[in-house]
Amino acid sequence: MTKRFAFQTAPSPESARRIAWLARACLLAEVQTWPKPGLVSHIDQGSHTDMTIAQFVSSAHAITPFFAQLYEAGSISAPLSRLREIGLAAERAMMDATGGINTHRGAIWALGLASAAAGRRATLGVPSACSDILRQHWGTEILATPPEEATHGGRMRRLHGAGGARIEAGWGFPTIRTVGVSALRQGRALRPGDPEAARVQCCMALIATLIDTNLLYRGGWKGLRFAQRHARHFLENGGVGQEAWRQEAAVIHSDFVKHRLSPGGAADGLALSLFLDRLDPAPPQQEAHRIADRINIQELDNGANSSDFSRPDLCGDDCGILRR
Ligand SMILES: CC(C)(COP(=O)(O)OP(=O)(O)OC[C@H]1O[C@@H](n2cnc3c(N)ncnc32)[C@H](O)[C@@H]1O)[C@@H](O)C(=O)NCCC(=O)NCCS
Ligand SMILES: Nc1ncnc2c1ncn2[C@@H]1O[C@H](COP(=O)(O)OP(=O)(O)OP(=O)(O)O)[C@@H](O)[C@H]1O
């Protein structure tokens, strides 16, 4: 008999809010990670002259309610066209919050679809991974959607045949699941008690593996290979298990900045890895390194039970992501 989750009917608005808080916590944890090669953080702007951490924080807060909407839409099996409407509204909120800077477009897409899948799973009451639910319910529609013409990703698809964020989502995030989430858990095992180190390990593993359309756009194949080689070298030398891991990662960060390289796909992948790590069950052999298989209601509440997503008194880490 199939093992069932606690709720098998329509999930509650409270569950939708918790998913949204979790998504926001993952976005804030991503940006508050240093050194991430070429990327914006609380320490510096990386390879970006037009983005600061303040914009990422404002953007994360502005888009939070849309993850709840996507969860609710997923719970009633809304078609991709409906998810798209909500996703585009989230993009507009992001642009309003940042003064027209694209901070989280890829993240809205990835965490948004994962939120919808979590809603669908809650209604079905099955123990499947959200990424499997995404692939089974919306994968075909996602893969059939023509690539955007005007975006960097669309151009990279035409020029280089790179699949980018759309293909990764359509297949149920295979790279994020197999590389990102595993590296996060490996990082925790290498440096227990240092969650930032685990996030750096995850980011490096994704840079080493993804065909990141941001890297391709800014650096062409040469830039992408340069980035992958440096990240691979870091991991082969022991990753965050090295004594001087932070200094090593900082040198790579400076090299990326020198070449204006920015692995935005890996940044989004880090946020999504944190999200899926909390939502999807771990393979049995990794169980020992897991803190929670599913959302821990107590921890998520963390003193915040308001339905107002914009409350300034909430630090944003309602899920304890930064402490794990
Ligand atoms: C598909 C999206 C990502 C736009 O397509 P685009 O061609 O611009 O994708 P592109 O490959 O450039 O990626 C956009 C962002 O994804 C990230 N990314 C880049 N490469 C990768 C990769 N290999 N894997 C995962 N993410 C990646 C980067 O942050 C990048 O900036 C998406 O923004 C979109 O279609 N939005 C419309 C709203 C929608 O349909 N939403 C659905 C529900 S949320
Ligand atoms: N911490 C981060 N630092 C930088 N980029 C990030 C970070 N987190 C996510 N990203 C992603 O990287 C992308 C930004 O990259 P980039 O600035 O190259 O794209 P763009 O704004 O589309 O292009 P450009 O600024 O070159 O015109 C965003 O889509 C965002 O999703």
Side-chain angles (χ1 to χ4, degrees), residues 70 80 83-84 87-88 91 102 105-109 112-113 148 151-154 163-166 168 176 210-214 264-265 268:
L70 285 157
L80 187 64
L83 304 186
R84 182 177 166 81
L88 291 175
E91 287 183 16
N102 166 22
R105 187 156 188 254
I108 294 169
W109 166 259
L113 289 171
E148 310 263 323
T151 63
H152 295 164
R166 188 183 301 278
E168 183 68 26
I176 310 304
L210 275 182
I211 308 286
D212 190 322
T213 53
N214 289 63
D268 296 337

Side-chain angles (χ1 to χ4, degrees), residues 30-31 36 38-41 45 48 50-51 56 101-108 152 214-215 217-218 260 262-268:
E30 178 270 300
V31 78
K36 297 188 304 284
L39 293 163
V40 178
S41 72
Q45 289 175 255
H48 296 266
D50 62 345
M51 287 184 184
F56 276 89
I101 301 292
N102 166 22
T103 42
H104 284 129
R105 187 156 188 254
I108 294 169
H152 295 164
N214 289 63
L215 285 173
Y217 178 78
R218 285 186 172 215
R260 271 196 77 252
S262 170
D268 296 337

Side-chain angles (χ1 to χ4, degrees), residues 81-96:
S81 55
R82 175 65 192 132
L83 304 186
R84 182 177 166 81
E85 281 170 12
I86 303 171
L88 291 175
E91 287 183 16
R92 286 193 293 275
M94 168 191 82
M95 290 297 191
D96 285 349

